[in-house]
């Protein structure tokens, strides 16, 4: 139960993060033109300052990311908002279900976690960071725990049954004759 509660807390944090992204995206979409105007002025001022100082503005993080932001479309932002909202609901559902030790939540968490693994591995091919490796390790540990320790999808169930059967046969072999059937 303790491990399930820890996983539930982690999923609850994910829920809050995804909800904040969805809300932030919604607010940004409402003010996208104004925000892009502000970023345009910022990028222009940084580029001008760096040109006067002799450095290259294309190397500057704010200029590079600001330029990407200027190409952001409202439709792309809507997809981000919808995706973040869906993930917030899924992660919140997992958190509540795991907290209450519901079997369906264990399956939902295992499926959702397994579904994320290919994306996490792909991100690692683009660049290894402590955050990416940490996320992968945590998610693999969660998946292994749920599938193996909780016997999801029949994994390790046959082994547990065989162990129980062996214990029963050993108990019968060493029990006094009057206790046997």
């Amino acid at each position: 139960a303790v491990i399930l509660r820890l996983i539930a807390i982690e999923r609850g944090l994910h829920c809050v993060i995804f909800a904040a992204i969805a809300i932030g995206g919604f607010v940004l979409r409402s003010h996208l033109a104004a925000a892009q105007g502000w970023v345009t002025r910022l990028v222009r001022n940084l580029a001008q300052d760096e040109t006067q100082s002799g450095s290259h503005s294309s190397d500057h993080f704010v200029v590079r990311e600001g330029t990407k932001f200027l190409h952001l479309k409202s439709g792309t932002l809507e997809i981000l908002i919808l995706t973040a909202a869906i993930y917030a609901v899924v992660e919140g559902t997992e958190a509540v279900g795991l907290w209450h030790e519901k079997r369906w939540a264990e399956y939902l968490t295992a499926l959702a976690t397994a579904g994320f693994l290919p994306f996490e591995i792909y991100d690692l091919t683009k660049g290894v960071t402590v955050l990416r490796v940490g996320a992968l390790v945590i998610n693999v540990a969660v998946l292994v725990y749920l599938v193996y320790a909780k016997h999801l999808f029949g994994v390790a169930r046959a082994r547990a049954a065989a162990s129980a059967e062996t214990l029963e046969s050993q108990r019968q072999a060493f029990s006094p004759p009057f206790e046997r059937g």
Side-chain angles (χ1 to χ4, degrees):
V2 172
I3 294 175
L4 286 180
R5 294 269 167 93
L6 290 173
I7 297 170
I9 291 168
E10 185 241 0
R11 298 304 159 142
L13 290 173
H14 288 180
C15 173
V16 170
I17 291 167
F18 281 122
I21 291 170
I23 292 167
F26 184 75
V27 170
L28 179 60
R29 190 189 70 174
S30 302
H31 301 78
L32 185 58
Q36 285 179 326
W38 182 82
V39 170
T40 299
R41 289 188 297 280
L42 176 67
V43 168
R44 192 176 307 133
N45 289 340
L46 282 173
Q48 184 179 14
D49 290 346
E50 288 180 352
T51 300
Q52 290 174 352
S53 69
S55 63
H56 299 289
S57 64
S58 63
D59 295 336
H60 196 280
F61 173 79
V62 174
V63 172
R64 192 173 55 248
E65 296 304 314
T67 303
K68 289 179 188 176
F69 180 76
L70 293 176
H71 293 89
L72 182 63
K73 305 284 187 235
S74 180
T76 304
L77 202 48
E78 288 172 3
I79 291 170
L80 173 70
I81 294 165
L82 181 63
T83 304
I86 289 170
Y87 277 120
V89 170
V90 170
E91 297 278 347
T93 302
E94 289 177 37
V96 171
L98 289 172
W99 190 265
H100 293 289
E101 300 178 37
K102 300 295 183 184
R103 186 75 170 169
W104 59 261
E106 295 171 2
Y107 278 100
L108 177 61
T109 303
L111 290 171
T113 302
F116 254 121
L117 290 180
F119 298 108
E120 291 177 10
I121 292 168
Y122 175 74
D123 278 346
L124 280 172
T125 64
K126 295 192 302 186
V128 177
T129 65
V130 172
L131 185 64
R132 288 176 179 167
V133 171
L136 181 63
V137 167
I138 288 170
N139 284 329
V140 167
V142 165
L143 186 60
V144 167
Y145 170 77
L146 289 173
V147 170
Y148 185 76
K150 302 303 271 178
H151 307 293
L152 297 185
F153 309 106
V155 173
R157 194 172 287 151
R159 191 164 150 196
S163 290
E165 191 176 293
T166 302
L167 287 173
E168 179 61 26
S169 66
Q170 288 174 351
R171 187 192 65 76
Q172 286 183 358
F174 293 108
S175 64
F178 57 87
E179 285 185 7
R180 293 184 199 147

